[in-house]
Amino acid sequence: IYLGFVSIQPVELSKLIIIIYFFIVFAKKYEAGTIDNVNQSIGPPVTILAIVVGSVLMETDIGTSLIIIIVALSVMAASGIKAKTFLKLSTLISSILLLIAPIVYFNWNAIMTPSRLGRLSAFFNPFDYIQGSGYQIANGYIAIGSGGVKGLGFGNSIQKMGYLPEPHTDVIMAVISEELGIVGAIIVIGGLGFIVLRALLLALKTKDPHARMLAAGVGSMIGIQTFVNLGWLTGLIPLTGVPLPFISFGGTSVILMSIAVGILMNVSMFVKYEKNK
């Protein structure tokens, strides 16, 4: 959305909003003792989640849709819901998917556009489609392979000089690997991994369900987004347009992640206070 002097990316905001919304809803249900009531406690937020994910899917942003779903499920899992309730929810979702399956089947050609089919083809062998849908993936591979262990040196990337499209966005890790090698890539991934592990440890240590839900939500958001970004870059999953947390170009994404870490720091202080008390 362009506001004249600045632009924002609403889909980035939706990740944090879903965490806060699910946290508020399930915190109230936990306090009321009705958290395992599927119709009253789980049905309404899951419906809102379906609307949000459906809107994002209409933008053909499958990667972000996956992140939002996993983040929501992480908050639910940390809320204190029983495994039996999760099983009921899984059965309900499976039934909905079975109802949707015929619609997808009869509209397959409309859903699987040439662009999406091209991404799948490039996923299996990008070098066969290096002049088309596999161009970005193939040049990302070349950048990663060129870096070796130590890299070509800071600022000395060759692929970013016109070979790798938009190197400052989703493919930034390829440039980091080319310039700083495996060592630089490990440092970046290790830093992100530390934040994720710290968040999950906080969720496991605290006895307060509110802190647990927030820590689990933020940790899963950063973790799954990092996996999706690096997954397509290394050939684990098909091409997606998800930024690398804190590093890829994008003001909305950086501000969102900064707010998320601020929330995580608040939870960390609360857990320490809880422990000392």
Side-chain angles (χ1 to χ4, degrees):
I1 297 177
Y2 295 95
L3 303 177
F5 61 95
V6 69
S7 62
I8 61 172
Q9 181 67 279
V11 76
E12 293 295 327
L13 296 173
S14 67
K15 301 170 190 174
L16 187 59
I17 289 171
I18 283 294
I19 292 175
I20 296 172
Y21 169 66
F22 267 61
F23 156 71
I24 292 172
V25 170
F26 285 102
K28 289 181 178 179
K29 300 300 180 182
Y30 180 85
E31 292 171 356
T34 59
I35 195 168
D36 288 301
N37 189 311
V38 176
N39 295 329
Q40 295 180 4
S41 301
I42 300 176
V46 169
T47 302
I48 297 296
L49 175 66
I51 294 171
V52 172
V53 172
S55 301
V56 177
L57 282 174
M58 288 176 67
E59 298 279 347
T60 66
D61 193 344
I62 298 174
T64 302
S65 301
L66 178 66
I67 293 170
I68 294 172
I69 291 171
I70 293 177
V71 163
L73 291 175
S74 299
V75 176
M76 288 175 62
S79 66
I81 292 177
K82 296 178 181 178
K84 186 178 179 180
T85 307
F86 253 113
L87 183 61
K88 291 180 180 178
L89 181 62
S90 301
T91 305
L92 178 62
I93 293 173
S94 300
S95 302
I96 294 171
L97 291 175
L98 286 174
L99 292 173
I100 296 174
I103 299 174
V104 175
Y105 178 78
F106 289 110
N107 293 277
W108 182 255
N109 292 331
I111 295 171
M112 292 306 296
T113 60
S115 175
R116 292 173 186 171
L117 288 174
R119 287 190 175 193
L120 287 175
S121 300
F123 166 65
F124 293 107
N125 198 342
F127 289 95
D128 285 350
Y129 304 90
I130 196 169
Q131 297 301 324
S133 55
Y135 184 81
Q136 192 175 37
I137 302 175
N139 280 283
Y141 287 174
I142 293 170
I144 294 171
S146 300
V149 177
K150 296 182 179 179
L152 304 179
F154 188 72
N156 295 329
S157 169
I158 297 172
Q159 292 302 113
K160 73 179 181 181
M161 306 304 292
Y163 298 100
L164 193 60
E166 304 292 335
H168 55 288
T169 56
D170 307 335
V171 292
I172 188 65
M173 182 54 82
V175 178
I176 293 172
S177 299
E178 186 180 12
E179 294 186 355
L180 305 179
I182 295 175
V183 175
I186 289 175
I187 291 173
V188 172
I189 296 172
L192 291 169
F194 173 79
I195 297 173
V196 175
L197 288 176
R198 177 65 178 165
L200 296 180
L201 284 173
L202 283 172
L204 291 172
K205 285 170 62 177
T206 182
K207 296 178 181 178
D208 185 86
H210 305 75
R212 186 168 61 241
M213 283 188 280
L214 284 174
V218 171
S220 63
M221 179 180 69
I222 298 173
I224 190 61
Q225 184 162 325
T226 301
F227 170 78
V228 171
N229 177 273
L230 299 181
W232 77 260
L233 192 62
T234 54
L236 293 176
I237 59 176
L239 176 64
T240 59
V242 174
L244 185 65
F246 305 107
I247 299 173
S248 290
F249 178 84
T252 308
S253 176
V254 172
I255 292 172
L256 165 76
M257 289 296 169
S258 300
I259 293 172
V261 171
I263 293 172
L264 191 61
M265 292 170 66
N266 185 283
V267 173
S268 178
M269 289 187 290
F270 173 80
V271 171
K272 287 181 179 179
Y273 172 78
E274 183 185 50
K275 182 180 179 181
N276 292 334
K277 187 178 180 181

